[in-house]
Amino acid sequence: MLELQDQLLATKFFIPVTTRSAITRIRLIDRLNEGRDRKLTLVSAPAGFGKTTLLSEWLRSLKELPESERPLTAWISLDSEDNDNMRFWQYFFSALDQALPGFCEPFLSYLQKEQTPAFQTLLTTFINTLANQRESFFLVLDDYHVITEPEVHSLIIYLIEHLSSQLHIVLVSRSTPPLPLARWRGYGQMQEIRTEQLRCTSTEIQQFFTEAMGLSLSRNEVKTVESRTEGWLVGLQLAALSMRGRSNFTELLREVSGNQHFILDYLTDEVLGQQKADIQDFLLRTSILERLHGSLCDAVLESTNSQEILEYLEQSNLFVVPLDGRREWYRYHALFAEALHSRLLHNFSDEDVRALHLRASHWYARSGQVTEAVSHAFSAQDWAWAADLIEQGPFTLTLAVKEHALLRHWLAQIPEHIVRSRSQLCLAYAQSLYMVGSYKMMEGFLEDADCALQHEMAAASEKKPLSRLQKNGFSKLAGKIATYRAMVSAYYGGDGPKALAYCQDALSHSSALDLSSQAEIHYAESISHYSLGAVVPAYAAVHNALSMAVKAGNTSSIVNYLGRMCFTLLASGRLREVEHAAQQAIRAGTAGGLSQPILCWAYIFYADALRLQHRLDSAYEMVTQAINLSEQTETIISLYLAYIALARIHQARGEAEAAQIAFQQSEIALQKTYSHYRCNAYIIDDWVQYWLNSGDVERAVRWMQAELRQEKLISPLAEQRKETAFIRILLEQHQLSGLIERLDAVIAQTRDDERMYHLIELLVLKAKAYALLSQQGAALETLSEALQLAQPEGHVREFVDEGPVLENMLVQLRRQVKTADLVAYLDTILAAFPTAHEPATQKQERSETGPAREVVTQPLIQPLLDPLSARELEVLELLTQGASNQEIAHHLTVTIHTVKRHVSNIFAKMDVTNRTQAVARSRELGFFNRNEHSGEKTQFHA
């Protein structure tokens, strides 16, 4: 299997060779040199002003500097396929690694291994590594205007804002990129060369015609050329080429007028008309290619003399730029290629053009360049061939794992009936959606994968008996499909028995020697058992998965399974073991400062264990790590759980507004995966606890009334958690009739399942119910049982979160007990209760191990250097109301890409990295305070 970096197109790293038609533009070289000590140079102008040629010449001039002053240079010619985080940063690090071999190997290795890399974490480590380098780098990102993905822009902003002096980035673009240029300009961090500077002067025009084109122009003719072309370099070159077929240059200049597109069309016709028929045909037919190679052109044209023609075109200055010193790879000037392609579409039939693309696709496939092969297959509209390439390429299922965004982009273009008829494509699509997509979509594609596999096996066996290799291949695929069906059924559907049946099916297809597949099945078993409430077999299953992953040496799986182990240990109430397992995961998942994204799970459950022990500062630190990793990777379920954990931490600290913001973010995350929240055992009780703790009893009651009209949930655990939520609501309303009996039923089930965390919680609720029934003896006896279970692991929050009723009972018990260790434990719990009276202007900040300490807080108001625009303020206000990107786009009547761009700009200007920080920062700066109580805010959530 090929490494992903081997799939990158080598020609995109070539620094274009300066041709003899170029002119030396000393004034612009000097301007570029003036900006060498800044972080960024932006060269921005429409096509045809010589941007690429200028940068190519500049980089070559740097090689003449003394060795001590000479930077390492790298180049990337971007195209539309790079509009994806994974692909963009693979090219970025590969370019720098070519400049200094081995330097970026850890970062490329990280991208190779991770399904959803944490790009900001990756860049942070890169920046720190770069700061310790002696060498300095200049990196040119040519054609940056093709990048429209807001996430790429956001990361470029982060990189530039934190760069050390060892890296200078040059952006070459036809348009102004959506970056905070005003701020960078104000800080003196960037150099700019724009259209006005790139226009050729009279002297440069004279030099170009005389030295580069061998033509002599009078002073008046030079002035006329300058007036007609406005110093547009490609216009000058076209005009010079057009002169070859005319005796009267002045007459030609009179005919050249109008805008640049008119001049381009007019002069391209003039130049093409002078070429022989075979040259014209070559130019038109090869205009479908981004880059030109003799063998590639031969394949497209079904000819044998393409290399000779390419060399002729270069010698004739016909807008062909060599990309390497050996003259093997070329490209057309972008504008000339556009003009040629326009004529191709006008002069040739659609069928002929598709045939050209198809031949190009087959050449790239033979060369192992799958991405380019797929791109041309799409242009040829040969969907079956495109599906073959994706399905049978050298990194078939790796693509689903490593470049899931690109995979989804590709599969969205192929007619749905073709995708759904192919088992591997359906499985790959479902894998790419896992943890980031819709439950229903995953379920649908896995079902289609199963059906397609049956058809494929039947079709193959009809031709001839299946070989052992074929049988093994089909069986392995069937096992993979069954494993993912188990995970989706248990995790999203809550159907434990169905999921366990899938696990058994998967095991029947899996070889005992395939440790990775076996481990994945045991992982699915753990999820399945937990949906039944059975934490002991759930723990045993994930322990088996972990053991196999360790034997297989699969670090990502080790980290993933340790995270799952943390979850089952948490349900078992074993908080100290959660801490130990989480720390193991962090050590395994952090190498050289590069945190594996899958670590978010360990951080979440570690944070919850710390919160239960009232170690709130450490819990906050862990959950912040989880949110950062989840937001960077768009792992929706982990993002939901992380924000729920954050909301609980804020509530424990008495930070109601921050808790509300975190809870709103959890709602937004959840809506991307579920159409409702009935089906998941992780969700049922979270929301009710939040509503009750924040005083929104009415909403909790509405939920209960709606839920009573629904059918029972599939998952027994989910049903138990729903019943616990009902009990909480009834307790809050003091509706106590029959409540002890209902509690006893749930307690019995929970005790049988050995879910000690839930058992402690339920015993506390039962003690509270007895107290409200004025049965003090039974209340204290039940509370004592809860304390006996909770003391060994240091549980605190289950008691404190139930408020004054529990505090009074604990005070009574404190007077009665004589055992020193139990007294100390009760003192720890009582110290965690909020004090009765706190000054309004002060904040009671509790330490993790002792009583409260008083800290006077004074908000710091810091104006933004780069103010938010009116539109950005609109977007920020909607963010503070909890609106999703889609809702903001609908409300403002803009595209979602526009919203993402605004959000990226807001984050950069406010110096934050996520929504929670942006909302908190906006409140700190006093934005929207006037409207806080106006009642006019748009409501996005129920």
Side-chain angles (χ1 to χ4, degrees), residues 23 72 150 254 347 588 625 692 712 724 745-746 869 909 914:
I23 53 173
L72 299 172
R254 279 199 298 267
N347 295 346
Q625 296 268 28
L692 295 179
K712 285 184 65 174
T724 303
V746 185
S869 68
K909 291 180 178 182
N914 58 49

Side-chain angles (χ1 to χ4, degrees), residues 808-818 823 826:
N808 291 334
M809 282 193 283
L810 288 166
V811 169
Q812 291 179 56
L813 274 178
R814 172 68 175 77
R815 296 193 188 109
Q816 297 175 13
V817 299
K818 305 299 182 184
V823 168
L826 283 167

Side-chain angles (χ1 to χ4, degrees), residues 665-720:
Q665 294 303 318
S666 76
E667 289 182 291
I668 292 167
L670 194 66
Q671 289 169 357
K672 295 179 181 178
T673 300
Y674 297 101
S675 57
H676 52 75
Y677 49 85
R678 298 195 71 243
C679 54
N680 194 295
Y682 310 126
I683 296 167
I684 299 299
D685 200 35
D686 291 341
W687 294 39
V688 170
Q689 285 191 62
Y690 172 79
W691 292 331
L692 295 179
N693 289 340
S694 58
D696 196 352
V697 180
E698 183 181 345
R699 188 173 181 186
V701 170
R702 287 201 309 270
W703 170 81
M704 182 173 69
Q705 291 170 344
E707 198 64 35
L708 287 169
R709 296 191 291 270
Q710 301 287 342
E711 297 178 359
K712 285 184 65 174
L713 293 162
I714 296 173
S715 164
L717 175 60
E719 266 297 311
Q720 292 171 34

Side-chain angles (χ1 to χ4, degrees), residues 535-536 539 565-566 568-581 609 613 754 756-757 760 793 795:
V535 296
V536 175
Y539 177 82
M565 184 174 284
C566 288
T568 54
L569 288 168
L570 185 65
S572 301
R574 293 147 67 180
L575 304 186
R576 291 185 170 85
E577 290 182 65
V578 172
E579 183 169 0
H580 177 68
Q613 294 173 315
E754 299 184 40
M756 292 303 142
Y757 171 21
I760 293 167
E793 298 292 330
H795 291 257

